[in-house]
Amino acid sequence: MFACACALPSRAQSLEITKDFQLIPMSSVMVMYKNQFGKWEKPLLDDTFPYAVIRVILEGNEREVTEAKKKIGLYLGLQRMVLDKCLDFENEILFLIPAAAGHVQMQCGDGCERQTILDLPRLNSDQVYFGRVHYTPAEDNLMTIVQAPKRQYFKFFVTPADASIRVKVDNEWQWWPTEEGLASKSLNYGKYQYEISADKYHSQTGTITVSAQSQQLEVTLQPTFGWLDIPCEQALEGAYVYAINMATSSSVRLGQLPVVKKELDAGTYRIEIQKEKYSDYSTTVTITENETATLVPEMASNFAYVTLKVDNGAHIYLDNQLLAKGTWISTLEYGTYDFEARKDHHYSTYTKIEVKPSNEMQTFTLNPPIPMMGALAVEGTPAMASIYVDDKLVGKTPMIVSQLLAGEHKVRIEKEGYKDKTMDVVIEENKEQLMEYELTKNATASAAKPTAKPTPKPAVKPITKPTAKPAIDLRKTLPVPMQESIAKATKDNSNTSVKPKRKTFVLANAATPFKSQLWGVGLVFGQMYNGYGWYVKGRSNFQGLKTLSGVQCGEDFTLSATDESTYLDYNQDGVNDIGITPFLSGNTKASAWLVSLGCSMDFLTKKVLRNKNSAMGLYVGLGYGVSRYGLQTADGTWIEYAPWSAMGVSADVGLIGSIGGFTMAAGLTTINFKTVEAELSIGWMF
C-alpha cells in the first residue's frame, strides 16, 4: 500500500471496498426481502426465482451515505443489467440482478474507477451476497488524497477438486479454500508464489502475476498411482481378487471379478484370484503412474457334474447342510465326500463317494435310512372287528400288528352294526403299544328290535272341586332373562325423574397456532354439578428458547429495540445494527406454555337421558400464556420474531360433548388477543 499527500483545490470522489463481497450462507431473497422483490418470483418455472440480491452496506457519515445512494451502481456487462434497486433501509442499498451474471463491478460515476466485487461463473439463485463500502463524495477544499492499492481477482482451477492451495502474500503463506475445484481471491498487483498439493498426487509450485486483467491458472496434478482393470468371462464372475505389494508386502482386497479401474499406488504387485470349483490363479503386474494396466486371467475348472439319489424320499445332507429330498443334481469339486441320508423315525446312513475328473454326468445312489420299528396290540369288544392302520386294512381283532414304523399312526376299528372308533397312537422303537376299544351299536340296529308292550293306564280318579289358590304372578312363569329385562325396565321408568348429580371428565389436549406449525399438548380436568361446572387446563410444547435480550425482529425482518438500555448488545462489528435486516440461517424454534381456569355448562341436564354420562355444552376460561417464536442468525444468535410471539392473559372458548362417556371438546385460545390457536381435546366423562 502507498499514499501520497498534497494540497489540492478540490477532491475527487472515491469508492473503497472495506469488506469483500461474499455469499451469505443459508440466505434466501424470498424470505428476507419478499416485500421488496416478491413481484419478480416465477412460480411456473423450475427455478422459481432466478435472481440474486447484492446487499451493499454503506459506511461513513450521513452526507457520505446519502451521496452513496445516489452515485453507486453496478455494471454487469453489455448483455445484462440491474433489474431492481431498493433504498428503503438505512445505510444499505439492495440491487436485484440476474443469477446468470457472475462478473459484477461497482461504479460511482465519472472519475470513479470500476471495481470488481464478484467474479464467478454465475451467482446462486434466490440468495444474497453482501459487502461493505465507503464512498467519499467530491469536495472543494484542501485535502489529502489517499490512493488505495490496485487489486484484481486471481482464480485457480485445480484437478483433483479437493487439492489444497497456498499463496505467499506479504511473506506469509495463505490457504485458499476450494469449491468444486475453484479458488479465487483478490490480490494487489504483483507477483506471488503458490503451492498446490493433494494426497496421492505430485505437488506443483510456481509464480503467478496479478495485473489489471482478471487472471486464472488451470493446474492438473499428476497422480502417484495407476489403475488396474481385470475383465473376465461370465463363468469367472464373482471370483475374489487380492493384490500384494511386492516392495512392502502389504495386501489389499480388490473385490470380485470383474475389476474396473481399481486405484493402486505405483509399483509391482502379485495378483491372486480365487473362486470355488476353480484352480487358484496367481501372476504379477506392474502399476505405472497415471496409466491403466489390464490383466486377463485364465482359470481352470476342477469340478464335475453329479447326480445323487436315495430311496424312500429321504433328505440328502452334506456337512450337516440340507441339499435336497430324494434327488440332488449339481456340481462338486474333485475329491471324496461323505453324504448323509436322513428321515424321520429312521436311522441315518452315510455313503462315501469320490468325484473324479470327467466331462460326463456322474450318478451315485446313497444308502437309504434304516426304519425304527415297533408293535401294536389291539383288543376289545366286539371281537373280529377290522383294524385299519393309516387307512390300510391289517387284520381283525384281537391282533398284534408288528413291524410298524415308529411314530404317530391313525388306527380305525370297524364292524358292521357298530359305530366306528378312531384313535391316534404313538409307536415307540422296539416296544409294544396296547390299544383297547369298545364299540357301540348303531341306532338303526336298536330300532329293529321289538318294542316293549305299553303299560295299562291307571283308573280315572273322581273329579274334586278345586280349592281357592292365591293370585299367580304371571311374570314369574316367564324365562329368567325375560324376568330380568322386565325388572330393569321397571326400575328405569321409576327413576326417570332422577338426574345425575356430578360428572367428572379427564381429557387429553392439543393445540396449534394458525400462523406457525407449532404443536402443544396437555391435559384438561373438570367436573359438572347438575349442569354447571369448572375445569383446569395446562399445555406446553416442552421446548425452551433463549433469545437476544432487548431486540426483536419485525414482520419485515428488520431489528428493533425493545429495551433501549440493552439494544446495543447486538453490535458485534461496531456498527449500530438496529433497523437493518440480520443475516438469517433459516432455522426456527418456538417455545409455548399455557395454564387456564374456566367454567362449563351442560345443556342436556334438563333432559331425560338413559345415559347419565351424556352431555352437550360449552366452556369459557381465562389464564396466562406465553408463545415465543425465534429466528436464528448466521452467527447462531436467536432473535424473537415479534409477529408470532405473545405473552400475557389468555382466553379460551369452545364446545364440549359426551356420548356414553366418550368426550370431545373443540375451541379457540388466544394470548393477549394477538395469537390464535385451534385446540382439540379427547377423553372420558364418568
Side-chain angles (χ1 to χ4, degrees):
M1 298 189 62
F2 65 91
C4 68
C6 56
L8 298 175
S10 62
R11 183 179 69 183
Q13 61 181 347
S14 64
L15 181 65
E16 180 184 3
I17 310 297
T18 61
K19 184 175 182 179
D20 292 339
F21 283 77
Q22 59 185 354
L23 175 67
I24 300 177
M26 306 291 291
S27 61
S28 171
V29 178
M30 296 305 294
V31 172
M32 300 172 62
Y33 304 113
K34 186 176 181 64
N35 293 337
Q36 287 75 29
F37 305 116
K39 63 182 179 181
W40 293 92
E41 188 176 14
K42 309 289 186 183
L44 298 181
L45 300 180
D46 293 337
D47 188 358
T48 59
F49 197 83
Y51 312 106
V53 165
I54 307 298
R55 181 184 179 187
V56 183
I57 300 177
L58 304 174
E59 297 182 349
N61 55 41
E62 183 177 355
R63 178 176 178 271
E64 291 173 340
V65 171
T66 301
E67 292 297 320
K69 289 186 175 183
K70 298 178 182 179
K71 295 289 188 178
I72 291 180
L74 299 181
Y75 178 74
L76 309 178
L78 299 177
Q79 299 181 351
R80 299 183 177 90
M81 60 183 295
V82 176
L83 302 176
D84 203 350
K85 180 178 179 182
C86 177
L87 304 175
D88 298 341
F89 302 102
E90 186 179 359
N91 301 336
E92 289 187 29
I93 308 176
L94 303 178
F95 295 95
L96 183 70
I97 66 174
H103 186 76
V104 182
Q105 292 182 315
M106 183 171 290
Q107 57 189 9
C108 58
D110 297 337
C112 182
E113 184 179 0
R114 293 174 184 166
Q115 298 190 47
T116 301
I117 63 174
L118 292 171
D119 193 10
L120 302 169
R122 61 171 288 126
L123 305 182
N124 295 340
S125 299
D126 190 32
Q127 292 200 314
V128 181
Y129 298 77
F130 88 106
R132 293 181 180 270
V133 303
H134 187 181
Y135 172 76
T136 304
E139 292 184 354
D140 294 328
N141 55 12
L142 296 177
M143 60 178 296
T144 300
I145 299 177
V146 179
Q147 184 176 355
K150 295 183 178 180
R151 300 170 62 84
Q152 187 54 271
Y153 275 86
F154 194 93
K155 297 186 288 290
F156 286 96
F157 296 91
V158 296
T159 303
D162 60 349
S164 300
I165 302 175
R166 294 198 308 166
V167 178
K168 196 172 187 179
V169 181
D170 296 334
N171 293 323
E172 292 185 0
W173 288 100
Q174 296 181 357
W175 292 100
W176 286 26
T178 60
E179 183 176 353
E180 297 182 354
L182 169 64
S184 68
K185 279 191 177 182
S186 61
L187 297 172
N188 295 336
Y189 291 178
K191 292 186 177 181
Y192 301 87
Q193 292 180 339
Y194 72 88
E195 182 185 55
I196 302 175
S197 60
D199 186 33
K200 295 186 176 182
Y201 288 83
H202 294 288
S203 300
Q204 178 173 319
T205 61
T207 303
I208 59 174
T209 301
V210 180
S211 60
Q213 301 296 323
S214 178
Q215 304 290 317
Q216 67 180 45
L217 178 65
E218 296 183 8
V219 177
T220 301
L221 300 181
Q222 296 300 310
T224 61
F225 58 87
W227 299 271
L228 176 64
D229 279 349
I230 309 180
C232 69
E233 57 187 21
Q234 186 175 0
L236 298 181
E237 290 182 357
Y240 292 97
V241 185
Y242 304 87
I244 298 93
N245 192 309
M246 303 294 288
T248 64
S249 298
S250 61
S251 61
V252 60
R253 178 177 169 179
L254 302 184
Q256 295 176 272
L257 291 182
V259 174
V260 180
K261 205 77 172 180
K262 191 66 177 183
E263 180 183 303
L264 290 173
D265 292 336
T268 301
Y269 294 82
R270 185 173 76 253
I271 305 300
E272 296 183 356
I273 304 175
Q274 298 176 354
K275 186 176 184 181
E276 186 180 2
K277 302 177 183 179
Y278 285 85
S279 300
D280 293 348
Y281 176 86
S282 179
T283 189
T284 59
V285 64
T286 300
I287 303 298
T288 306
E289 291 182 358
N290 203 28
E291 293 185 3
T292 301
T294 302
L295 176 66
V296 182
E298 295 182 359
M299 302 178 66
S301 63
N302 61 350
F303 65 88
Y305 293 93
V306 298
T307 298
L308 302 180
K309 297 181 178 179
V310 63
D311 296 334
N312 300 329
H315 292 85
I316 302 173
Y317 283 79
L318 179 63
D319 297 332
N320 210 33
Q321 293 187 353
L322 176 64
L323 301 181
K325 179 181 180 181
T327 303
W328 182 66
I329 302 175
S330 186
T331 58
L332 287 175
E333 294 186 15
Y334 305 149
T336 303
Y337 300 87
D338 287 321
F339 287 93
E340 179 186 3
R342 294 184 190 176
K343 192 174 183 180
D344 291 341
H345 307 297
H346 287 68
Y347 294 104
S348 296
T349 58
Y350 296 86
T351 305
K352 184 182 294 292
I353 69 170
E354 182 181 2
V355 180
K356 301 178 180 180
S358 176
N359 294 327
E360 299 181 355
M361 177 70 72
Q362 301 179 46
T363 303
F364 302 91
T365 301
L366 306 183
N367 298 322
I370 301 171
M372 301 176 183
M373 308 302 287
L376 174 65
V378 184
E379 60 184 40
T381 58
M384 298 304 295
S386 300
I387 305 173
Y388 292 84
V389 178
D390 299 329
D391 295 325
K392 182 179 180 181
L393 179 64
V394 297
K396 294 185 179 293
T397 63
M399 180 181 180
I400 297 177
V401 184
S402 60
Q403 297 300 306
L404 276 181
L405 184 67
E408 187 174 328
H409 298 271
K410 187 179 294 294
V411 180
R412 186 174 75 254
I413 309 297
E414 293 184 0
K415 188 170 184 178
E416 186 177 357
Y418 292 83
K419 293 182 179 179
D420 298 347
K421 188 176 185 63
T422 302
M423 298 178 63
D424 292 327
V425 297
V426 177
I427 304 300
E428 299 181 14
E429 183 188 8
N430 296 325
K431 292 184 179 180
E432 183 181 285
Q433 179 71 31
L434 175 63
M435 175 182 170
E436 297 179 327
Y437 69 91
E438 183 177 357
L439 303 182
T440 58
K441 293 183 178 182
N442 290 327
T444 55
S446 299
K449 295 181 179 181
T451 59
K453 296 181 179 181
T455 57
K457 296 181 179 180
V460 179
K461 294 182 179 180
I463 299 175
T464 59
K465 187 176 181 180
T467 59
K469 295 182 179 181
I472 299 175
D473 188 355
L474 296 178
R475 292 179 294 178
K476 295 183 179 180
T477 63
L478 299 174
V480 175
M482 294 183 65
Q483 295 181 40
E484 295 176 351
S485 178
I486 293 173
K488 185 178 183 303
T490 303
K491 183 179 178 181
D492 291 342
N493 291 334
S494 65
N495 294 334
T496 54
S497 62
V498 180
K499 301 180 178 63
K501 292 183 179 182
R502 182 174 66 185
K503 301 175 181 177
T504 302
F505 53 90
V506 180
L507 311 176
N509 176 262
T512 182
F514 286 109
K515 291 185 178 180
S516 62
Q517 301 299 316
L518 169 65
W519 281 91
V521 295
L523 289 175
V524 180
F525 177 81
Q527 291 181 326
M528 292 186 185
Y529 299 84
N530 293 328
Y532 302 94
W534 60 271
Y535 71 90
V536 63
K537 175 174 63 182
R539 184 171 64 243
S540 176
N541 73 329
F542 305 98
Q543 293 190 26
L545 176 63
K546 186 177 182 181
T547 60
L548 188 67
S549 175
V551 178
Q552 283 186 338
C553 187
E555 188 171 5
D556 57 354
F557 296 96
T558 59
L559 298 180
S560 62
T562 60
D563 186 352
E564 294 185 357
S565 64
T566 60
Y567 80 91
L568 290 178
D569 290 348
Y570 196 68
N571 185 15
Q572 301 179 356
D573 52 6
V575 179
N576 182 6
D577 291 327
I578 299 301
I580 72 167
T581 303
F583 305 143
L584 300 177
S585 67
N587 297 326
T588 61
K589 192 174 182 181
S591 175
W593 61 269
L594 176 146
V595 293
S596 64
L597 178 67
C599 59
S600 58
M601 180 181 294
D602 180 14
F603 298 143
L604 299 184
T605 303
K606 304 296 182 182
K607 304 293 184 180
V608 177
L609 298 174
R610 293 184 178 273
N611 193 322
K612 66 178 181 179
N613 295 328
S614 297
M616 175 58 70
L618 57 83
Y619 66 90
V620 179
L622 293 174
Y624 187 85
V626 174
S627 179
R628 303 178 64 215
Y629 196 84
L631 306 177
Q632 190 186 43
T633 64
D635 61 3
T637 303
W638 288 96
I639 300 175
E640 183 176 298
Y641 184 58
W644 291 1
S645 301
M647 178 187 304
V649 177
S650 68
D652 49 79
V653 62
L655 299 175
I656 182 171
S658 176
I659 300 177
F662 176 75
T663 306
M664 292 185 63
L668 299 175
T669 301
T670 180
I671 301 177
N672 272 354
F673 298 98
K674 184 178 180 181
T675 65
V676 180
E677 297 179 334
E679 65 174 6
L680 178 66
S681 304
I682 300 176
W684 198 259
M685 181 178 292
F686 53 91

